[in-house]
């Protein structure tokens, strides 16, 4: 029986982090699952309120559960950025393994009050569900922003982190430590990288004493991510990078076959593009350096060239 709590404990002991990838369709899910399966590392799949609305709350829960059961694989499902108690309860009842209850747009006190209420309500539905709370400001929207906002005045302090965790009883905390949702155009082009406050992460980890999640990981400097994981980050969220790859792959699939209408001949292109990103991030977060020769994650770049994807 796969258990997300055990997976997080093991990750902490091994000095690695679990990757969290948002999915909005079966292309993304297929790419994420096959990447994790080939690298043999656990993975957390996330669906925001918008993504859940598009796919169906119970439907995405059923698909992820079927992958976990059929392949006996540690793949878990998170209800990402859930802003109301009603939507959180809906996800818990559908069988989500974790819920990010996000009242971070409110004042600290109101956020704490609402999050505590959510923790109690969700645990009453499923005592093993993990609830994550969020403090500080990490921006909104996993999309391409014209400019990266300056959020340096809204970083989480270790004292706030401890107070919030003790008051609310959250299992996991998402702090603001230099991370940000979405990417600027310069980040997409690789010219700019997000930088993290590693010292602050270590202090928050000591103060909060629960697993920490890094939201908005897309476009972050690789070395900063490595150090953040060593300092106490247990879950890293990557969404925008996957969305950029999804779109690029779809465009390649369409332009390589202008008259094609068979979806399963077009959609392998975005699957492959997303896989390239997912594999690279899974390797980084899990410290995977050696790969089996037949691994598709290793041969994907070559296959991509053969398909004429530039
Ligand atoms: Zn997030």
């Amino acid at each position: 029986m796969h258990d997300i709590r055990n997976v997080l404990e093991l990750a902490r002991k091994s000095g690695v982090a679990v990757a969290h990838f948002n999915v909005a369709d079966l292309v993304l899910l297929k790419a994420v699952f096959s990447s994790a399966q080939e690298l043999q590392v656990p993975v957390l799949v996330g669906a925001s309120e918008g993504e859940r609305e598009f796919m169906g709350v119970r439907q995405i829960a059923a698909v992820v559960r079927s992958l976990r059961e059929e392949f006996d694989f540690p793949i878990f499902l998170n209800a990402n950025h859930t802003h109301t108690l009603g939507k959180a309860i809906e996800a818990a009842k559908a069988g989500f393994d974790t819920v990010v209850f996000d009242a971070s747009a409110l004042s600290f006190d109101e956020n704490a009050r609402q999050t505590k209420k959510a923790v109690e309500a969700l645990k009453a539905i499923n005592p093993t569900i993990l609830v994550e709370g969020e403090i500080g400001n990490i921006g909104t929207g996993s999309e391409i922003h014209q400019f990266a906002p300056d959020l340096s005045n809204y970083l989480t302090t270790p004292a706030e982190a401890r107070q919030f965790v003790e008051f609310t009883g959250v299992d996991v905390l998402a702090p603001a430590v230099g991370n940000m949702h979405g990417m600027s155009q310069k980040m997409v082009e690789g010219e700019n990288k997000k930088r993290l406050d590693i010292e602050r992460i270590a202090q928050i980890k000591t103060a909060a004493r629960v697993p920490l999640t890094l939201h908005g990981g897309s476009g972050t400097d690789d070395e900063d991510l490595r150090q953040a994981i060593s300092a106490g980050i247990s879950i890293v969220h990557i969404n925008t990078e996957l969305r950029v790859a999804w779109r690029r792959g779809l465009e390649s699939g369409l332009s390589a076959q202008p008259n094609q209408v068979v979806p399963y001949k077009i959609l392998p292109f975005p699957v492959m593009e997303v896989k390239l990103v997912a594999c690279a991030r899974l390797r980084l977060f899990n410290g995977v350096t050696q790969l089996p020769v037949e691994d598709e994650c290793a041969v994907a770049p070559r296959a991509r060239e053969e398909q004429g994807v530039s």
Side-chain angles (χ1 to χ4, degrees):
M1 183 59 196
H2 296 289
D3 182 297
I4 181 68
R5 200 179 289 270
N6 292 344
V7 165
L8 289 175
E9 269 173 32
L10 194 64
R12 188 70 210 131
K13 279 185 197 146
S14 319
V16 302
V18 178
H20 173 291
F21 298 113
N22 277 65
V23 300
D25 68 4
L26 284 177
V27 165
L28 285 151
L29 182 60
K30 187 179 165 73
V32 164
F33 178 63
S34 63
S35 301
Q37 211 185 15
E38 281 162 30
L39 295 173
Q40 282 298 301
V41 292
V43 72
L44 191 47
V45 164
S48 66
E49 287 185 353
E51 287 158 342
R52 266 132 69 193
E53 180 128 348
F54 183 71
M55 295 183 287
V57 179
R58 291 178 58 187
Q59 286 64 42
I60 183 62
V63 176
V64 172
R65 193 183 314 121
S66 78
L67 290 171
R68 179 159 67 203
E69 290 172 1
E70 181 177 347
F71 297 93
D72 189 20
F73 194 84
I75 179 170
F76 304 96
L77 183 60
N78 172 45
N80 209 17
H81 295 291
T82 306
H83 301 287
T84 64
L85 188 54
K87 296 263 185 205
I89 287 172
E90 189 183 28
K93 285 186 173 166
F96 280 59
D97 303 289
T98 65
V99 172
V100 173
F101 187 78
D102 180 2
S104 63
L106 304 173
S107 68
F108 180 87
D109 288 353
E110 191 52 29
N111 180 5
R113 261 195 297 276
Q114 289 202 16
T115 304
K116 182 184 169 71
K117 217 171 116 187
V119 170
E120 288 164 358
L122 297 175
K123 301 269 182 190
I125 295 165
N126 173 7
T128 65
I129 202 166
L130 295 189
V131 184
E132 176 178 319
E134 180 174 324
I135 45 176
N137 187 348
I138 50 179
T140 56
S142 296
E143 50 200 322
I144 298 166
H145 306 297
Q146 204 177 353
F147 302 105
D150 179 11
L151 300 171
S152 54
N153 290 331
Y154 304 97
L155 298 181
T156 304
T157 67
E160 280 171 345
R162 171 174 289 182
Q163 197 190 341
F164 188 83
V165 170
E166 283 178 357
F167 181 78
T168 60
V170 288
D171 304 288
V172 181
L173 181 70
V177 290
N179 47 329
M180 176 202 101
H181 285 119
M183 293 168 85
S184 66
Q185 189 56 42
K186 278 192 182 308
M187 287 174 191
V188 174
E189 286 152 17
E191 282 178 40
N192 280 3
K193 296 278 182 198
K194 292 177 199 167
R195 304 304 306 264
L196 303 171
D197 190 336
I198 305 297
E199 186 57 32
R200 189 180 292 266
I201 292 170
Q203 289 167 354
I204 291 172
K205 176 69 188 171
T206 305
R209 290 177 291 196
V210 291
L212 302 180
T213 297
L214 185 81
H215 281 254
S218 290
T220 307
D221 180 73
D222 281 7
E223 188 48 36
D224 277 19
L225 284 169
R226 248 181 238 117
Q227 287 184 26
I229 292 166
S230 298
I233 293 290
S234 295
I235 300 170
V236 183
H237 283 225
I238 298 288
N239 187 0
T240 313
E241 287 180 5
L242 258 53
R243 289 176 166 181
V244 169
W246 176 90
R247 185 181 171 108
R248 191 186 300 137
L250 194 55
E251 284 172 345
S252 305
L254 293 170
S255 66
Q257 311 166 86
N259 300 315
Q260 186 57 267
V261 294
V262 180
Y264 58 77
K265 293 188 177 171
I266 297 169
L267 297 176
F269 284 73
V271 168
M272 195 188 296
E273 285 292 323
V274 172
K275 244 180 119 166
L276 286 173
V277 176
C279 284
R281 287 326 204 172
L282 285 166
R283 279 196 201 118
L284 178 73
F285 302 160
N286 290 278
V288 178
T289 47
Q290 295 299 316
L291 291 172
V293 180
E294 71 277 16
D295 194 292
E296 249 197 37
C297 273
V299 301
R302 197 172 63 232
R304 184 169 177 261
E305 246 169 53
E306 282 164 8
Q307 278 195 5
V309 179
S310 57

